[in-house]
Amino acid sequence: MSPAEVWNRCEAATAAHPYIVAKAAAGVPLDYLRVVPAGDALLIQGERMAGALVVPAYAPDGMLQSLQCVTTGDTAARLKAKKKKPKLNLPGAPMAGASFTVGDVVAGAPVHLCEGIGTAWACWQATGHPALACFGWGNVGKVAEAMRQRDASARLVLVPDVGKESDAAKIAQNVGAAVAYMPEGEERNFDANDLAQREGHDVLAALLEDAREPPKPEPRYKLLGANELRDLPPLAWRVRGVLPAVGLAGLYGPSASGKSFLALDMAAAIAEGRRWFDCRVEAAPVVYTALEGEGGFRLRVAAWEAHTGRALPAGLSMVLQPFKLTEPQDVQDLAAVVPAGAVVFLDTLNRAAPTADENSSRDMGEILSAAKYLQSLIGGLVVLVHHTGKDATKGLRGHSSLFAALDAAVEVSRDGERREWKVAKSKDGQDGDAHPFTLKIETMGTDEHGDAVTSCVVVRDTAAQDVRTVKLPQGGNQKLVLDALRPMFRGGPTGKPGAPPLRPCIELEAAVIAGAGRLTCPTDRRATRTREAITGLVSRGVLGLNEGWLWLN
């Protein structure tokens, strides 16, 4: 039957009803309460409801939504024996969001939200302020939200039974309500009605008056002004100007460019805390996962030790087992053995995600998500060693989202036996400067056939720097012109005829105009003197020149 059908055949409640008496609720409003008449056929959970107190449950719009039958006597005893509640809701009529109000709600006035009708009666008797019975604690949050939407200024006070305090605090934070906590040390489910009957309504009134709002959670977003920005700690570098201490980085280059040798050399420098290509290094544990050319890493380590005369740093560990970045369990298992704050090299990204389509935005998104997950677990830096595409001038192979997601990127290029690396991306550093290096062959003896066992190590190539420092005069037009041209190279185009791959170039005529602006000789002779200075720089090997394009050697 519908709630209205049952309600219409019920009788008016009186103060003599056993439940009202049990709750010491004499004097509470009875106009909206009824009782199931004797002989009524209503059955709930196999029990006749005749004599039960009927409490109407109204939706937020005021419509009758359901009914709650409060049983007493033998019926209540049988339900409790079956470990069931003696308050039964009308089947087929859900209670979600419904409530019953004791007293009259006045805009802006306090409203007490209680779990059941007995508690609501006690709060009304103690204060005279309205109290809402929410028909179960699980419904209090929904009723509170509806009340707050109806009256933004109302003082909502949640009155939880003992054991419901934590949940009440969460609801209060969500809707901006206060919480009236029962005295400490009471048994579970002790409520406001119990307190009023034991201590008196004046004690309950004082407790309700003392209701307080729980501390507000820290705001999710923090607004920073100029002073706060100045007080922020500076960026922590792992390799100064190259790699940050925390984040996601990439080291990439074409096949046979020497990127894996360079990555191992960088890893050893980080583990030792030694300067690397004259960059300051902050020491940290390093885990190098060699997923490509695993068999050759033993020789690479031996070559490094032979070249440096030192054992591999204790802070550098190798992983030669298969690893899939796209397998969450692999990521968790690797993170479990990586020291906190460490640097993890994944060499290469292709072998770490062998089944992924690097050109797919979806697949690359999953790869990046997994890499960031690994980074979050270790609290340090993850370096992805990766290949360039068929056209090395276009940078990293695969979807463009990879480069965009990196906090730093190191690009490796090769022209014959000459190799170099440069910072292709640094969110808070300077990029573009080239650092030449060569691969020196180290011999570690012979094999069983008498053939030499060799591998390579990275050696910094200072030839170009030596040219600049030895052949260039300390003063004169060449130095002035070169100083004028250096900033221009950083943003210059690459791939020009005769220039090394990925080497930024500038047009000769633009260089003449820029250099002339630095000279102090008579104006009509500046262009000529600039061309002479550029010719001298080219002849000394400081600059390269071909088909009207200049580049730094």
Side-chain angles (χ1 to χ4, degrees):
M1 293 184 180
S2 70
E5 289 177 306
V6 175
W7 180 255
N8 289 333
R9 69 172 191 255
C10 289
E11 302 171 344
T14 68
H17 189 277
Y19 187 75
I20 297 176
V21 173
K23 292 298 180 180
V28 299
L30 300 178
D31 296 346
Y32 298 101
L33 298 174
R34 294 188 180 182
V35 177
V36 178
D40 193 275
L42 180 62
L43 285 171
I44 300 179
Q45 294 189 18
E47 296 287 345
R48 291 193 177 276
M49 293 294 103
L53 181 69
V54 181
V55 184
Y58 294 100
D61 61 3
M63 298 296 294
L64 182 63
Q65 180 172 316
S66 188
L67 300 173
Q68 185 175 77
C69 297
V70 184
T71 64
T72 59
D74 293 341
T75 303
R78 284 193 298 272
L79 288 168
K80 290 179 180 179
K82 298 176 183 177
K83 296 184 178 181
K84 295 181 179 180
K85 295 181 178 181
K87 298 177 182 178
L88 302 178
N89 299 334
L90 190 67
M95 283 288 188
S99 63
F100 174 76
T101 304
V102 179
D104 298 319
V105 176
V106 179
V111 179
H112 301 102
L113 282 79
C114 309
E115 183 171 346
I117 185 67
T119 306
W121 283 334
C123 292
W124 178 83
Q125 288 174 300
T127 65
H129 295 307
L132 273 62
C134 299
F135 304 103
W137 186 254
N139 210 27
V140 172
K142 300 181 181 68
V143 175
E145 290 175 1
M147 286 296 300
R148 178 56 71 212
Q149 291 177 4
R150 188 187 314 169
D151 186 352
S153 64
R155 174 173 165 76
L156 302 182
V157 180
L158 308 183
V159 191
D161 297 355
V162 173
K164 310 289 177 57
E165 295 87 353
S166 177
D167 194 40
K170 294 178 182 178
I171 296 173
Q173 287 179 339
N174 290 337
V175 301
V179 181
Y181 297 99
M182 293 298 103
E184 293 184 5
E186 300 294 348
E187 293 184 358
R188 188 173 183 83
N189 296 323
F190 181 89
D191 62 23
N193 189 275
D194 297 327
L195 180 65
Q197 291 199 51
R198 190 184 71 188
E199 304 289 343
H201 288 102
D202 56 337
V203 173
L204 175 58
L207 182 142
L208 296 174
E209 181 66 28
D210 193 43
R212 57 194 181 275
E213 293 187 11
K216 294 184 178 179
E218 286 293 322
R220 180 181 174 189
Y221 296 104
K222 186 176 292 186
L223 304 181
L224 302 179
N227 292 334
E228 291 84 359
L229 291 173
R230 280 192 293 269
D231 292 338
L232 290 176
L235 174 69
W237 292 101
R238 187 57 63 210
V239 179
R240 176 71 184 179
V242 182
L243 296 181
V246 177
L248 184 63
L251 189 153
Y252 64 94
S255 295
S257 62
K259 59 182 178 293
S260 289
F261 289 100
L262 189 71
L264 179 61
D265 191 67
M266 178 191 287
I270 294 173
E272 285 187 309
R274 287 178 175 266
R275 296 183 75 86
W276 188 71
F277 282 81
D278 207 30
C279 298
R280 188 175 70 249
V281 174
E282 295 295 333
V286 180
V287 174
Y288 199 106
T289 57
L291 306 175
E292 190 169 283
E294 305 94 310
F297 265 85
R298 182 183 65 82
L299 293 178
R300 294 183 188 186
V301 169
W304 186 91
E305 292 179 332
H307 177 73
T308 62
R310 304 188 301 274
L312 194 70
L316 173 56
S317 303
M318 309 293 294
V319 174
L320 303 182
Q321 298 159 274
F323 167 79
K324 284 190 177 181
L325 187 59
T326 50
E327 289 290 340
Q329 190 61 53
D330 281 16
V331 173
Q332 295 171 16
D333 291 347
L334 178 62
V337 298
V338 173
V343 180
V344 173
F345 284 80
L346 298 181
D347 185 4
T348 61
L349 179 59
N350 175 260
R351 292 292 295 272
T355 60
D357 180 359
E358 295 174 350
N359 295 307
S360 163
S361 61
R362 179 176 179 178
D363 285 12
M364 185 56 72
E366 293 177 354
I367 290 173
L368 290 171
S369 177
K372 291 177 180 178
Y373 178 48
L374 175 60
Q375 187 277 323
S376 69
L377 292 177
I378 66 173
L381 177 68
V382 173
V383 182
L384 306 175
V385 181
H386 195 36
H387 298 282
T388 54
K390 294 180 179 179
D391 185 351
T393 63
K394 294 182 179 180
L396 279 164
R397 188 175 72 192
H399 197 270
S400 59
S401 59
L402 173 57
F403 189 80
L406 298 177
D407 298 298
V410 175
E411 180 181 47
V412 183
S413 60
R414 177 184 181 182
D415 181 18
E417 293 304 313
R418 190 174 186 280
R419 296 170 168 85
E420 67 180 29
W421 67 267
K422 69 176 182 179
V423 178
K425 180 181 182 181
S426 179
K427 288 188 175 180
D428 293 281
Q430 183 176 350
D431 54 20
D433 290 339
H435 302 269
F437 70 94
T438 60
L439 293 183
K440 179 186 176 184
I441 297 176
E442 288 285 341
T443 302
M444 280 79 66
T446 58
D447 60 16
E448 64 273 18
H449 302 292
D451 297 328
V453 176
T454 64
S455 188
C456 295
V457 293
V458 170
V459 177
R460 187 179 177 189
D461 185 358
T462 61
Q465 183 178 350
D466 293 342
V467 168
R468 295 189 187 98
T469 56
V470 175
K471 294 188 177 182
L472 281 181
Q474 294 298 312
N477 293 344
Q478 288 184 8
K479 186 175 186 303
L480 291 173
V481 170
L482 185 59
D483 288 343
L485 301 188
R486 284 190 188 278
M488 299 175 64
F489 284 111
R490 291 186 182 133
T494 59
K496 296 304 177 181
L502 308 179
R503 187 67 55 83
C505 300
I506 59 175
E507 290 184 290
L508 175 61
E509 294 307 315
V512 171
I513 295 172
R518 290 289 188 94
L519 301 187
T520 58
C521 60
T523 305
D524 60 345
R525 305 192 67 182
R526 290 181 182 177
T528 301
R529 292 288 183 263
T530 300
R531 291 183 184 277
E532 292 173 353
I534 292 175
T535 299
L537 292 170
V538 172
S539 66
R540 285 176 165 80
V542 178
L543 297 178
L545 173 64
N546 187 57
E547 296 184 12
W549 290 94
L550 289 169
W551 61 87
L552 280 170
N553 284 321

